């Protein structure tokens, strides 16, 4: 089984061998991926047989993790698909009205409105997450660079991903998520919380991969993925800002995205999880610096090792950075025991 690839900003998919290799000398069983994002790291831990908990404050990231990390055996079958695709008379038209011509065509907006109504009728929570994760993946695939920070067809090229209909993308996503489902015979869990609200337990290992505070990017995940976030609840419980061109929702506050607050947030985070071994991903063009990060970790842990690897983020989430050497960074993995 393999994990469906995405262009999620900051995804560690390409760095997974480096991360797993850097911690291979540690003796650990239970692990928390505290900022799970695309969930590819949590999935790597699950594949290695660990008991995995994952967390992200974005609902759409949670749905992916619920469908692939917590889920040890449930898949969407043909009957589920027929239920998801049939015409639903109770379907509302919020997406067609609010997002007309912004991201998708009228037929695709209607497809999403109808799909949402059908997903609500699914009783099994894991199936609901598989369907929502697939809907989000389909919507991402139909956007250049997978994001919702601009409207219309900017960056639209002949790529197959953009040519396929949203329905075709949805069916492909269901196939991919179904294929990713497996049991590692552990009770894995997915959470959707602010990281400070997670019970620190302690875990044997906590993997920490927060947004990178950088002078080159705002690292605001809600701003990039607001449409997916809204879609997960049909825009209930979020604040839609109707005056914005992109019809985005208000970003969730997180101190990890703010230059003036990040250092203190790291200190509080390390204190929160001080009972666990910590593995922290961070990069050379972000704040706090390497020296500062080691000092912060040493406030709570005895030994800190730093592993390094040259890395170029080429996902293209930051258009201005493509081909620019600010995109080429040293990735650090701080291992604190
Ligand atoms: C660098 S990404 C993680 C990438 C992930 N490791 C991967 O490989 O895809 C950082 C994640 O932190 C989440 N996040 C930011 N602040 C958070 C907070 N205070 N609590 C929980 N999650 C948060 C964001 O939604 C984002 O998905």
């Amino acid at each position: 089984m393999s994990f469906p690839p995405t262009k999620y900003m900051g995804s560690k998919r390409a760095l997974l061998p480096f991360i797993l290799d850097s911690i291979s000398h540690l003796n650990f069983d239970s692990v928390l991926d505290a900022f799970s994002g695309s969930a590819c790291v949590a999935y790597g831990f699950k594949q290695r047989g660990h008991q995995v908990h994952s967390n992200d404050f974005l609902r759409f990231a949670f749905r992916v993790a619920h469908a692939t990390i917590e889920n040890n055996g449930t898949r969407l079958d043909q009957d589920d698909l027929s239920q998801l695709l049939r015409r639903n008379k109770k379907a509302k038209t919020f997406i067609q009205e609010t997002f007309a011509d912004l991201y998708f065509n009228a037929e695709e907006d209607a497809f999403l409105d109808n799909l949402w109504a059908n997903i609500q009728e699914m009783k099994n929570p894991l199936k609901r997450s598989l369907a929502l994760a697939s809907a989000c993946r389909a919507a991402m695939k139909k956007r250049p660079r997978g994001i919702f920070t601009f409207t219309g067809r900017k960056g639209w090229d002949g790529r197959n991903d953009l040519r396929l209909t949203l329905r075709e993308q949805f069916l492909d996503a269901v196939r991919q998520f179904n294929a990713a489902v497996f049991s590692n015979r552990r009770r894995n869990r997915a959470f959707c919380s602010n990281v400070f609200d997670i019970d620190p337990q302690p875990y044997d290992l906590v993997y920490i991969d927060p947004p990178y505070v950088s002078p080159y990017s705002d690292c605001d995940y809600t701003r990039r993925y607001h449409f997916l976030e809204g879609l997960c609840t049909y825009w209930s419980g979020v604040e839609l800002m109707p005056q914005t061109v992109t019809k985005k929702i208000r970003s969730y506050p997180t101190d990890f995205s703010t230059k003036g607050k990040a250092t203190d947030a790291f200190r509080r985070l390390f204190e929160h999880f001080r009972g666990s071994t910590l593995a922290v991903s961070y990069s050379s063009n972000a704040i706090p610096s390497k020296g500062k990060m080691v000092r912060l970790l040493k406030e709570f842990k005895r030994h800190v090792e730093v592993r390094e690897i040259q890395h170029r983020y080429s996902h293209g989430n930051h258009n201005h950075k493509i081909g620019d050497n600010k995109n080429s960074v040293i990735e650090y993995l701080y291992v604190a025991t």
Side-chain angles (χ1 to χ4, degrees):
M1 60 265 141
S2 69
F3 194 71
T6 58
K7 291 181 176 154
Y8 194 67
M9 175 167 73
S11 165
K12 295 298 176 292
R13 189 182 180 89
L15 289 164
L16 200 51
F18 159 74
I19 293 167
L20 295 174
D21 183 54
S22 301
I23 53 175
S24 59
H25 60 294
L26 299 173
N27 191 9
F28 67 100
D29 179 30
S30 64
V31 52
L32 168 70
D33 183 354
F35 299 83
S36 60
S38 69
C40 67
V41 178
Y43 195 80
F45 286 127
K46 182 177 176 183
Q47 283 180 312
R48 274 154 194 78
H50 294 286
Q51 184 186 38
V52 186
H53 287 186
S54 74
N55 174 62
D56 200 288
F57 72 175
L58 289 183
R59 290 180 178 101
F60 111 82
F62 159 75
R63 288 295 175 181
V64 173
H66 192 227
T68 57
I69 307 301
E70 180 161 329
N71 181 8
N72 273 345
T74 300
R75 292 184 180 81
L76 293 174
D77 59 25
Q78 270 314 321
D79 288 348
D80 298 322
L81 266 184
S82 310
Q83 187 197 326
L84 285 167
L85 297 175
R86 75 174 174 219
R87 218 175 137 251
N88 190 321
K89 287 204 186 101
K90 286 188 259 156
K92 299 193 180 115
T93 51
F94 179 81
I95 296 175
Q96 294 164 77
E97 283 158 28
T98 313
F99 298 99
D101 297 327
L102 293 190
Y103 303 116
F104 308 116
N105 65 31
E107 198 180 314
E108 291 172 326
D109 288 344
F111 172 78
L112 287 177
D113 277 324
N114 191 71
L115 181 62
W116 166 262
N118 287 334
I119 290 174
Q120 291 325 288
E121 292 177 4
M122 300 200 99
K123 302 224 162 32
N124 182 320
L126 289 170
K127 290 195 178 191
R128 222 179 300 137
S129 284
L130 278 164
L132 280 170
S134 301
C136 287
R137 180 175 170 78
M140 258 176 125
K141 293 287 253 177
K142 277 232 66 169
R143 293 296 300 157
R145 295 185 281 136
I147 55 179
F148 297 84
T149 53
F150 56 92
T151 59
R153 293 196 148 215
K154 198 166 102 187
W156 209 268
D157 54 25
R159 241 173 314 163
N160 202 31
D161 264 345
L162 301 175
R163 275 207 313 265
L164 292 177
T165 65
L166 208 53
R167 181 192 160 101
E168 288 166 332
Q169 285 287 7
F170 176 72
L171 291 174
D172 182 60
V174 169
R175 265 192 301 277
Q176 295 215 34
F177 279 117
N178 270 344
V181 174
F182 77 103
S183 168
N184 69 348
R185 298 169 190 275
R186 309 302 304 267
R187 284 171 63 95
N188 307 300
R189 294 290 310 277
F191 304 110
C192 187
S193 291
N194 190 304
V195 70
F196 293 105
D197 295 330
I198 294 287
D199 176 356
Q201 305 245 357
Y203 292 92
D204 295 337
L205 179 80
V206 177
Y207 173 64
I208 292 173
D209 183 22
Y212 291 2
V213 178
S214 145
Y216 309 113
S217 145
D218 69 3
C219 65
D220 182 341
Y221 282 79
T222 326
R223 188 174 78 81
R224 280 175 181 72
Y225 301 112
H226 64 89
F227 184 86
L228 311 180
E229 196 55 16
L231 182 58
C232 282
T233 60
Y234 212 60
W235 286 264
S236 103
V238 296
E239 186 187 343
L240 183 85
M241 299 194 288
Q243 75 286 6
T244 58
V245 175
T246 54
K247 309 286 180 228
K248 64 184 172 185
I249 61 172
R250 189 171 298 286
S251 286
Y252 304 155
T254 174
D255 289 351
F256 294 97
S257 295
T258 317
K259 200 173 157 192
K261 294 185 177 168
T263 300
D264 179 59
F266 273 110
R267 181 177 283 115
R268 285 188 288 123
L269 188 69
F270 298 157
E271 184 171 19
H272 188 71
F273 292 115
R274 65 186 176 282
S276 304
T277 293
L278 306 178
V280 185
S281 278
Y282 219 55
S283 94
S284 58
N285 69 1
I287 300 154
S289 65
K290 178 174 159 185
K292 181 79 189 168
M293 195 69 105
V294 170
R295 281 196 297 282
L296 282 172
L297 282 163
K298 284 209 166 155
E299 288 181 26
F300 306 100
K301 308 300 291 182
R302 204 168 292 167
H303 299 289
V304 180
E305 270 179 77
V306 188
R307 304 284 176 119
E308 302 186 1
I309 191 171
Q310 195 76 34
H311 183 62
R312 179 174 285 273
Y313 279 99
S314 57
H315 301 142
N317 290 310
H318 309 294
N319 213 10
H320 61 286
K321 294 210 288 175
I322 295 171
D324 162 340
N325 60 13
K326 294 185 189 78
N327 215 18
S328 174
V329 294
I330 300 172
E331 271 288 319
Y332 299 127
L333 188 77
Y334 302 88
V335 182
T337 48

